[in-house]
Every structure is written in C-alpha cells, then in structure tokens.
Amino acid sequence: MRWDLLFADLAAQLDAAEVADGMQAVAELTRAEQATILLTDRLRAAVGGPVDLHLADGHRLAAEVRDVAPEWVLLAERSRQHVVPLTAIASISGLTRNALTPASHAEVGRSLGAVLRALMRDRAPVRVRTTSGQLDGRIARVGRDHLDIEELRHDQGPGRTAGPGRIVPFTALVCVSET
C-alpha cells in the first residue's frame, strides 16, 4: 500500500509538470503571436470605432477610424476627415487587444503618396500640419518623399494661392485635414 501511494504521488507530480509545461508553452506561443501583430492590424480592428491619437506635434485628435493602410490612417471627426501618417502618431488610446489582418496582401495604391496624389487631383483645400506649424492650401505636387503646398491667400479672397508654396517632407508631416 505504501508503494501505491508513492507511485500515485509520482504520477501526480508528472501530471502537474506536464500541465505546467503546457501552460508555459501556451504562454510562449501567445507572446510569439503577439510579437507579429502590427499597429495597422490593431487600427484595422477599430474601423468604425473611436480612438484618441496623440500626435508628434503635441496635438490630440479624437475621431473615428475610417480606413487604414500600411503608412496612414484615415480618421473622421464630426464633418472633417484627417489623413495621419503612422509615423506621426506618438500614442493611441481606445484600441482594444483585437487585431485584424488585411483581407488581401495587395496594398498597391495605398501608400501615403497615393492618398496625397488623390487629394491633389481633387484640388481639395487642405490644412497640412507639420512638426513646426500648419499651412492652409492645396496640394500642388507629390513626390516620393515630399509634397508641395500652394498656400491659400486669405487676404486676396477665397481660393487664391500665393505662388509656388512650400515643400513639406513626409518626415515632417503630421496630419492632412479637410478645411
């Protein structure tokens, strides 16, 4: 009988060790899976919901996530929309732990340059916020890593531009908003 207790105890210890090993393996797999999640995947899971972004220029933007691409997020705040480069986000509040991978791997035409060229073709008046201030105008040209803004001249009436404007490198771009 003493041996029965000894072997039962040994079996219980082995079972407990297997359970602990299994829990460790699950925890390690979970950590490994979490390490593959991109910020865009978390933002994609929040489409239609509110987030609170703290931007590189110190401004805060509380808005609804409308669209997400590898380099930018589209947000809607009341009647105004904003394109924010992911590199301009300092922190985000309001995201859940959920993540959603893109439906297809074809993200062609979804670059920051592509969305800015669409705004340029539309000749939409925009407010461009940079790390050093803001400009109101129209996007005149979009290069690979920069855009040209024709600044609006408010002193000469609506829609008047001030000539060649300014060049804004994408690295200084914080937000492009509807005006």
Side-chain angles (χ1 to χ4, degrees), residues 20-166:
D21 286 346
M23 290 173 57
Q24 262 186 316
V26 167
E28 184 58 34
L29 287 171
T30 300
R31 284 190 291 273
E33 183 180 349
Q34 288 172 351
T36 65
I37 296 172
L38 297 171
L39 176 59
T40 52
D41 297 339
R42 304 251 331 252
L43 284 164
R44 201 173 287 108
V47 168
V51 292
D52 191 5
L53 271 65
H54 295 263
L55 302 175
D57 66 349
H59 284 86
R60 181 177 160 251
L61 184 58
E64 176 186 317
V65 178
R66 288 284 175 89
D67 195 5
V68 181
E71 297 176 352
W72 52 267
V73 59
L74 177 65
L75 303 165
E77 175 191 41
R78 293 182 292 278
S79 64
R80 182 177 287 171
Q81 295 193 74
H82 310 273
V83 174
V84 177
L86 295 181
T87 56
I89 300 172
S91 68
I92 305 173
S93 301
L95 289 181
T96 66
R97 292 179 179 229
N98 298 334
L100 185 61
T101 57
S104 77
H105 294 289
E107 292 285 345
V108 176
R110 307 260 304 154
S111 69
L112 181 59
V115 75
L116 294 173
R117 278 188 286 283
L119 292 172
M120 176 189 72
R121 280 190 301 274
D122 191 38
R123 298 290 296 154
V126 295
R127 172 164 289 155
V128 176
R129 283 213 329 261
T130 71
T131 52
S132 67
Q134 68 184 25
L135 307 163
D136 288 339
R138 287 186 171 80
I139 299 173
R141 182 176 299 130
V142 179
R144 183 174 180 182
D145 62 352
H146 68 282
L147 61 99
D148 294 10
I149 297 291
E150 292 175 344
E151 291 184 82
L152 292 179
R153 299 271 317 250
H154 298 290
D155 60 341
Q156 293 184 356
R160 304 287 247 151
T161 58
R166 294 182 185 243

